[in-house]
Amino acid sequence: MTAKHDPALYASVPDAHGRFGQFGGKFVAETLMSALADLEDLYRRLANDAEFQREFDEDLAHYVGRPSPLYEAARMSDHIGGARIFLKREDLNHTGAHKVNNTIGQALLAKHMGKKRVIAETGAGQHGVASATVAARLGLECHVFMGEEDVQRQSLNVYRMKLLGAEVIPVTSGSRTLKDAMNEAMRDWVTNVDDTFYIIGTVAGPHPYPMLVRDFQSVIGREARHQSLAMTGKLPDALVACVGGGSNAIGLFHPFLGDESVAMYGVEAGGHGVETGEHAAPLSAGTPGVLHGNRTYLMQDENGQISPTHSVSAGLDYPGVGPEHSWLKDIGRVNYVAANDDEALAAFHRWTRMEGVMPALETAHALAYAEKLAAQMTPDQHIIVNLSGRGDKDILTVAALEGIKV
Amino acid sequence: MSRLQTRYDALRTADKKAVVPYIVAGDPSVGATVPLMHRLVAAGADVLELGVPFSDPMSEGPVIQLGHERALENGVSLRGVLAMVSAFREEDTETPVVVMGYANPVERMGHEAFADACASAGVDGVITVDLPPEEVDGLNEHLIRVGIDNIFLISPTTPDERISTIVSRASGFIYYVAVKGVTGAGNLDVADVRHHLGLIRAASSLPVAVGFGIKDAASASNVAAIADGVVVGSALIDTIAQGIANGDTEAAAIDKAVALLTDIRAGVNKVASAP
């Protein structure tokens, strides 16, 4: 076993300062520091509390519908003729994506803190829907910040959130996408910090968010590990997941980090192509910096201004990435690659037609790469792809791109 | 002795309070900033805060956000801001200048290079909104090396026991954020400010300036009665932006902002001696 496959290494992060190597931390205005300390204290207590874990597991079982199946995509695997591809079906969760695993967990934290109001940022709208859903169930007031551009391209999810009783606030500052929604959510939180719980949707933000979101999402990898052993008698040879902020990827990867035989691939949004500069792939083509409370790889210019991003998928259209991914990249444990818009769209169609599984456009990036990877492997090997969300929300986007009126 | 300490000592001796205007460097235009700095000094500013524009200014309300966006459209970078300080220093070697911004442009330049560049430009203090004490040591080491004051924020949510952690790293002055919220927010609570200033003064002999929520002579006067200085930003920036939006020339809009600062100076001067 090499140092980078020592499970103790992965249990040691984040450290007491919330750092993963040089990444992570708490880069926020003073007004939020005490709220973050309170959240960390509560979480460290509840993470080891059997009653809290039981409550979380029950909700995942009976409300979310876990465990999600591991499905062998036999037709596609035969077609490719390489490694067998299995899909971890997070699209079958309540609300249609992995996001709900985390919002269930954070809503329980909000309940324990006695907060009556929750806020969330959203890009594709999946986290907003998952937040609005848990808020409806617990009777909490819910405000979702969403970039104006995303409000346009994800109109179905906007309406879903409204039906669930949430207020959706279009954000018109900056680039009007996910990063600006997160800025605005932070501004709301700093203003209403006494009564408001901020449900961050990914493994980014200030400590302790990257840690607790990872922990809540790790149910994906724990289940996939058992399912792989039960179905194939061995661990997977490779894991593939898309990476925007990186919560579905960390959730799948984390329980396997100490397994030397398991290769891992995080697939970023290559947009028009990483070489064009019009993409959302900070791990592939960015540099370390500080944004939204943590140090991580960012897309930025030589003056430290955050660069505009482009991706066909709103959920990956973000210039940063969770700090644990930045660390996993630097220590060489996970390979980070990119799939561009066209590859993702082609995969969206191919998987819909060949497997009857319509992936979210975010997820389609992972599928596009998994096909290439499988082709280089052999039929005695197998890959698990995190099928992180379903594609219904993207139907209008796909139709518009192809000039079809629905 | 640093320019900030010299200035605050002189104000204390004269039984006066500091007026600290904040403007965004490069807003409304690149050429406007240095002349505006001189005019603010002439109108009674004791310390100048120069905002470093950033693409994602998370602690700013809408007024200052737009100031950052305009400055970025005008092509202003951190290096450009420091060049403005150098230009200001050609005529004014006494008024302390504090640059206030976010961590990422500083990280990108590098802590050592940033500290050196600040020193050679004639910057006296640095406020980095998203570098709390827990994250500041790398930068602080270099600011201390070049003798630049590092100014920290304390807020209404700062726990009492944390105040001593913060002031132990601070120099120049302490910036008390008077409201939970973003810049330009309303409803400053003077009783709450008084309570927190008492806690800060028990932990530190540094001067305390108060900002966020001060918009006119009356609110400045109320705060100056209990603080060592008042910071006013959004009100000035909004006056210029509104003027231009309503058809004023840039010069006429700036005249209105300078008039507002003159009013605020007068309001602060009405205040009797320190508590």
Side-chain angles (χ1 to χ4, degrees):
Chain A
M1 186 171 64
T2 63
K4 81 177 182 198
H5 296 100
D6 180 357
L9 176 64
Y10 303 104
S12 72
V13 291
D15 69 12
H17 301 286
R19 300 206 183 105
F20 304 84
Q22 66 158 315
F23 301 105
K26 284 190 205 181
F27 295 84
V28 295
E30 175 59 26
T31 308
L32 293 177
M33 289 301 284
S34 124
L36 290 172
D38 291 347
L39 176 59
E40 184 178 356
D41 288 348
L42 176 81
Y43 180 69
R44 290 213 185 263
R45 194 155 46 76
L46 292 179
N48 298 310
D49 179 279
E51 174 57 23
F52 179 80
Q53 288 304 326
R54 191 195 57 76
E55 215 177 344
F56 179 56
D57 291 345
E58 291 239 317
D59 279 355
L60 291 184
H62 301 294
Y63 190 68
V64 176
R66 303 203 71 91
S68 66
L70 186 67
Y71 162 74
E72 182 175 3
R75 186 165 180 236
M76 181 64 87
S77 299
D78 289 345
H79 172 73
I80 295 168
R84 311 299 293 173
I85 298 178
F86 289 72
L87 305 179
K88 179 60 175 162
R89 296 292 304 274
E90 293 297 301
D91 59 321
L92 296 179
N93 291 341
H94 181 42
T95 73
H98 73 289
K99 292 291 187 186
V100 72
N101 302 325
N102 168 49
T103 61
I104 290 277
Q106 290 199 47
L108 285 176
L109 295 178
K111 195 175 93 177
H112 277 265
M113 294 181 107
K115 307 280 188 183
K116 300 288 181 227
R117 181 177 181 271
V118 296
I119 56 171
E121 83 294 339
T122 198
Q126 290 302 101
H127 174 59
V129 166
S131 297
T133 299
V134 297
R137 179 175 173 236
L138 295 177
L140 303 172
E141 180 185 333
C142 179
H143 300 259
V144 179
F145 295 90
M146 188 167 188
E148 195 178 45
E149 187 181 325
D150 295 335
V151 168
Q152 304 296 330
R153 59 180 167 174
Q154 299 288 347
S155 56
L156 286 176
N157 269 344
V158 172
Y159 186 54
R160 278 173 88 190
M161 287 184 267
K162 289 180 179 168
L163 288 172
L164 287 159
E167 185 187 345
V168 179
I169 300 132
V171 175
T172 57
S173 58
S175 63
R176 306 177 178 204
T177 60
L178 179 53
K179 92 173 164 73
D180 309 285
M182 198 153 179
N183 289 336
E184 211 53 42
M186 288 274 191
R187 290 178 186 125
D188 181 292
W189 196 30
V190 86
T191 305
N192 300 296
V193 63
D194 292 334
D195 71 345
T196 296
F197 190 99
Y198 180 14
I199 302 182
I200 293 185
T202 191
V203 285
H207 180 64
Y209 282 100
M211 170 178 75
L212 63 89
V213 177
R214 173 196 72 191
D215 293 353
F216 291 141
Q217 291 293 1
S218 291
V219 66
I220 301 171
R222 285 197 302 275
E223 288 176 3
R225 207 166 196 284
H226 290 302
Q227 290 164 326
S228 177
L229 290 169
M231 291 168 72
T232 71
K234 61 191 186 78
L235 292 177
D237 298 284
L239 304 175
V240 180
C242 64
V243 177
S247 68
N248 91 78
I250 227 64
L252 177 64
F253 295 169
H254 199 261
F256 293 94
L257 286 169
D259 296 306
E260 190 163 5
S261 65
V262 182
M264 300 184 190
Y265 300 86
V267 187
E268 295 191 297
H272 296 315
V274 170
E275 70 288 351
T276 66
E278 294 175 11
H279 57 81
L283 292 168
S284 304
T287 47
V290 171
L291 180 68
H292 292 154
N294 65 100
R295 181 178 284 123
T296 193
Y297 277 91
L298 297 176
M299 290 182 52
Q300 57 176 323
D301 69 14
E302 69 281 7
N303 294 312
Q305 306 296 347
I306 306 306
S307 303
T309 53
H310 166 78
S311 171
V312 70
S313 76
L316 301 183
D317 204 350
Y318 180 67
V321 62
E324 191 160 11
H325 286 292
S326 293
W327 177 69
L328 291 169
K329 169 191 160 74
D330 277 13
I331 65 170
R333 178 64 186 96
V334 178
N335 304 290
Y336 292 93
V337 296
N340 66 28
D341 287 354
D342 291 344
E343 292 171 318
L345 280 164
F348 171 90
H349 285 296
R350 239 179 349 258
W351 284 80
T352 301
R353 295 294 288 265
M354 287 192 67
E355 287 289 349
V357 172
M358 185 183 292
L361 284 176
E362 291 77 15
T363 312
H365 289 73
L367 293 169
Y369 185 78
E371 289 179 51
K372 289 192 211 171
L373 181 67
Q376 298 159 16
M377 295 166 66
T378 53
D380 60 322
Q381 295 180 299
H382 76 279
I383 298 171
I384 296 177
V385 181
N386 198 353
L387 209 293
S388 54
R390 70 182 186 214
D392 309 44
K393 71 181 176 62
D394 293 313
I395 290 173
L396 294 177
T397 302
V398 172
L401 283 169
E402 293 169 358
I404 294 162
K405 277 227 184 323
V406 179
Chain B
M1 191 183 288
S2 79
R3 277 193 200 98
L4 278 166
Q5 194 182 341
T6 305
R7 177 57 51 98
Y8 274 107
D9 284 353
L11 287 166
R12 259 184 196 174
T13 305
D15 205 7
K16 287 178 71 183
K17 301 303 179 73
V19 171
V20 186
Y22 166 98
I23 56 173
V24 179
D27 172 43
S29 68
V30 174
T33 298
V34 174
L36 175 56
M37 292 167 76
H38 290 303
R39 290 195 61 192
L40 291 170
V41 172
D46 300 295
V47 175
L48 297 175
E49 274 185 18
L50 204 51
V52 180
F54 182 48
S55 52
D56 295 83
M58 284 191 302
S59 292
E60 313 301 346
V63 167
I64 296 183
Q65 282 175 45
L66 289 171
H68 281 243
E69 287 185 13
R70 287 188 295 267
L72 288 173
E73 279 164 24
N74 292 336
V76 176
S77 64
L78 177 53
R79 284 187 174 78
V81 176
L82 297 178
M84 291 177 195
V85 179
S86 293
F88 174 78
R89 283 278 170 254
E90 288 172 12
E91 289 176 43
D92 186 331
T93 57
E94 291 182 359
T95 307
V97 176
V98 173
V99 294
M100 179 166 182
Y102 291 81
N104 200 52
V106 173
E107 295 269 318
R108 187 72 172 145
M109 185 181 277
H111 294 152
E112 185 172 1
F114 172 69
D116 289 340
C118 282
S120 77
V123 168
D124 303 290
V126 170
I127 304 174
T128 314
V129 180
D130 50 352
L131 280 187
E134 286 80 353
E135 304 292 354
V136 84
D137 288 348
L139 174 60
N140 231 11
E141 176 193 329
H142 290 288
L143 293 179
I144 290 166
R145 175 176 59 78
V146 297
I148 288 180
D149 290 318
N150 199 2
I151 293 145
F152 285 90
L153 308 180
I154 291 179
S155 90
T157 61
T158 304
D160 297 358
E161 64 278 9
R162 190 175 157 79
I163 290 176
S164 56
T165 308
I166 297 174
V167 300
S168 70
R169 287 173 173 77
S171 60
F173 64 96
I174 304 284
Y175 188 137
Y176 181 68
V177 174
V179 292
K180 288 171 208 158
V182 293
T183 51
N187 306 324
L188 177 148
D189 177 350
V190 173
D192 177 80
V193 173
R194 187 192 306 276
H195 168 73
H196 279 89
L197 293 194
L199 297 173
I200 296 167
R201 290 192 200 284
S204 170
S205 58
L206 287 172
V208 186
V210 174
F212 287 38
I214 297 168
K215 34 184 69 96
D216 52 25
S219 50
S221 179
N222 288 338
V223 170
I226 51 177
D228 299 297
V230 297
V231 183
V232 55
S234 295
L236 294 172
I237 290 168
D238 201 31
T239 297
I240 297 173
Q242 290 296 330
I244 291 172
N246 293 331
D248 287 355
T249 60
E250 182 179 291
I254 285 175
D255 285 346
K256 289 180 181 168
V258 172
L260 173 61
L261 192 81
T262 306
D263 265 5
I264 287 170
R265 173 80 262 172
V268 168
N269 285 349
K270 278 186 205 149
V271 173
S273 57

